[in-house]
Amino acid sequence: MRFSRMHLPTLKEVPAEAEVVSHRLMLRAGMIRRLAAGIYSFLPLGLLALRNVEEIIRQEMNRAGAQEVLLPAVQPAELWQESGRWDFYGKELLRIKDRHQRDYCFGPTHEEVITDLIRHEVRSYRQLPLNLYQIQTKFRDEIRPRFGLMRGREFIMKDAYSFDVDDAAAGLSYQEMRDAYNRIFSRCGLNFRAVEADSGAIGGSFSHEFVVLADSGEDAIASCQSCEYAANIEKAESQFIEVETALPDPVAAAALEVATPDCESVAEVADFFKVTPEAIIKSMIFESDLGFCMVVVPGDREVNEIKVAAALGAEWLEIPAPARVADELGLPVGYLGPLNVSITLLVDRQVPQMGEMICGANRVGFHLQGVLWERDFTSRQMADLVQVRAGDLCPRCGSLLQIDRGIEVGHIFKLGTKYSEKLKATFLDQEGQERLLVMGCYGVGVGRTVAAAIEQNYDENGICFPYAIAPFKVALLNLDLKSEEVTAYCENLYQELRNRGISVIYDDRNERPGVKFKDADLIGVPLRLTLGRKGYKRGILEAKCRSTSISEELPLDDRTSLWSLLEELATDDSRIPSQ
RNA sequence: CGGGAUGUGGCUCAGCCCGGUAGAGCACUGCGUUCGGGACGCAGGGGUCGGAGGUUCAAAUCCUCUCAUCCCGACCA
């Protein structure tokens, strides 16, 4: 492509709307433009990057035996009512009406549509396994879209759905997708981790997220420093070690009520008693489909709601407003404690070994000191309820866990029969028995993968695209358009690069050299070739690598070293796992 | 949904408090000079100041409503 002919509106200044690196750089590099909150247009450069990721995805999905389809974006409400998600999915589902006032939605995901399709198509175990995928625009009406393509409302997703005869076969499909995903993100040149995750609203029993490590990421993951264990913080567990608790001697007969005016938070209470938060127990009221309950954890720990919901076996869980707690239960938020409460008491497994504790007295302005497990309160419902943190022990090997931030770019789920049951998607097995299809679903955020790649690869001059997804692999800068020899050489090299199938942007604009350098850096072209009058006289072409800043002088009359340099770049940063 | 902020040429912003002919830089067009890290000079084009209503002789500026966008929060007592 000739730069002079390309619609590539780079910006010197950063549009005020952009906060995070990838968003800023994608705007500045002329890749995307915003139309509305969370809704973006792709310009030519952005689309090239997107297509490169799509192509890698297609290759790996096809290699894994999946077949591409294209499903409708607009879906009738009946299907969603049949699966039960019309009500459950909530406001994220963009609902629309047609001219006859019939309800539709713009698909945020396609379990319903694909299951409907398959239940009409698949009758026999002979047609299985089957894995269909598509790359398509989704819409999720996010509460708060932000960060450009990282959390958009309209976005492009690759979603795949597998259908198998039983759990074991579905496990194989899942594993195949897991391998494919590892190859996809490796080939995109990303530093990522596959982590165990909660399956959330999509449902199912088991899932892994693929998280690109980046400080600006919205997700946190816990990973072991020595073994392979890695999990989303929502899901992560830690090893629990029983310790003997030393009690003071003699032990007081009962806890002591102390006036603690205006001490509502753990920090304030710790300050008041001159103790660390570890000596305090934090009590919180939760409400679920099973009613109210009180959750008790060490004061220096954060409650993990997903673990609470799992421990309770609850469908949904939320924290009621303090006013509601006061009205319904007569309990004062800020001064809660586990003594003498009538509702379910759910206690974190670490609490019994805390020794003498401080907790709220269930009376405004008072806390209890010297509280003891068993003497003062107890519960049969004990579990791991807290969020892991750096320094906790790996549940597999006992080494230290570390916490990193990252961007979720892929998520794979074992769905089981959740949707096939609701939509009655069945087949006949070898014995002629009617059985439910066992499903899995597998998603990749395509635009988000591009954004994540930028989050992970940039410097003060702009984007440093990994070779595999770079819109252009080579930028050829002609610094002296007026010189016939220089221009003739550049034109010839440009043609040869194109003939070799190397995507190249030839900067033939009538601009000063500085402008060309800045633009080539900004748009993240991995290899920059520069030729000016001086270089031409010396018979050399300057080749500079964007990511390493290493430059070499190549002879004009022999291009073999150029081809080997490109070869090297192409293989260098696509870290394909060996397996 | 709660809180905060912002809407002025394509972009970044000033002007608003204290009402009186709409500005700068970048970008764009033409000419000239310049030419290896976002050049300079001269001459130009382009804005119903987010929208609606109101106050006023007069509104970008004051008032009311509305729309849009961004940030924080919407669970850690």
Side-chain angles (χ1 to χ4, degrees), chain A residues 370-409:
Chain A
V371 173
L372 290 180
W373 174 250
E374 286 186 328
R375 186 194 68 189
D376 296 318
F377 72 102
T378 184
S379 170
R380 272 171 303 158
Q381 294 209 52
M382 239 192 296
D384 171 20
L385 302 174
V386 302
Q387 194 148 302
V388 301
R389 65 184 174 198
D392 282 354
L393 304 181
C394 172
R396 301 254 175 90
C397 75
S399 300
L400 295 182
L401 289 175
Q402 66 182 50
I403 308 292
D404 292 293
R405 297 203 69 81
I407 302 159
E408 177 192 350
V409 290

Side-chain angles (χ1 to χ4, degrees), chain A residues 239-481:
Chain A
Q239 210 170 85
F240 178 56
I241 296 177
E242 301 250 7
V243 290
E244 283 292 315
T245 311
L247 288 179
D249 184 40
V251 175
L256 178 68
E257 195 172 70
V258 180
T260 53
D262 300 320
C263 291
E264 302 202 354
S265 69
V266 167
E268 287 163 346
V269 176
D271 222 40
F272 182 90
F273 285 100
K274 307 271 184 286
V275 296
T276 55
E278 289 91 37
I280 297 170
I281 52 180
K282 186 193 281 187
S283 311
M284 293 173 63
I285 301 293
F286 284 85
E287 187 177 6
S288 74
D289 49 309
L290 307 171
F292 288 100
C293 74
M294 181 183 279
V295 171
V296 180
V297 301
D300 60 325
R301 287 294 190 155
E302 303 204 339
V303 172
N304 180 324
E305 264 190 61
I306 287 165
K307 290 182 182 176
V308 171
L312 290 170
E315 294 262 327
W316 55 269
L317 186 74
E318 63 183 34
I319 296 193
R324 190 168 153 73
V325 175
D327 290 350
E328 297 280 325
L329 303 171
L331 290 172
V333 168
Y335 300 93
L336 296 175
L339 278 66
N340 306 316
V341 291
S342 53
I343 54 176
T344 305
L345 198 57
L346 193 58
V347 177
D348 181 70
R349 60 190 181 176
Q350 294 175 55
V351 169
Q353 53 180 245
M354 283 173 67
E356 286 198 307
M357 304 170 248
I358 293 167
C359 69
N362 293 327
R363 182 178 162 203
V364 175
F366 289 90
H367 278 80
L368 297 175
Q369 195 174 16
V371 173
L372 290 180
W373 174 250
E374 286 186 328
R375 186 194 68 189
D376 296 318
F377 72 102
T378 184
S379 170
R380 272 171 303 158
Q381 294 209 52
M382 239 192 296
D384 171 20
L385 302 174
V386 302
Q387 194 148 302
V388 301
R389 65 184 174 198
D392 282 354
L393 304 181
C394 172
R396 301 254 175 90
C397 75
S399 300
L400 295 182
L401 289 175
Q402 66 182 50
I403 308 292
D404 292 293
R405 297 203 69 81
I407 302 159
E408 177 192 350
V409 290
H411 202 157
I412 60 177
F413 302 82
K414 268 190 191 172
L415 290 174
T417 56
K418 177 174 171 173
Y419 294 93
S420 48
E421 204 173 318
K422 294 270 190 192
L423 300 181
K424 299 184 184 61
T426 60
F427 67 99
L428 292 184
D429 68 11
Q430 275 169 298
E431 277 77 48
Q433 290 283 313
E434 187 171 57
R435 294 173 61 178
L436 291 170
L437 287 159
V438 183
M439 295 174 57
C441 75
Y442 318 93
V444 174
V446 183
R448 192 186 273 186
T449 300
V450 175
I454 293 169
E455 286 297 328
Q456 213 169 58
N457 300 282
Y458 71 94
D459 63 19
E460 67 280 3
N461 292 316
I463 302 168
C464 308
F465 270 119
Y467 190 91
I469 66 175
F472 295 106
K473 314 306 182 195
V474 174
L476 174 59
L477 310 197
N478 179 345
L479 296 192
D480 215 330
L481 287 158

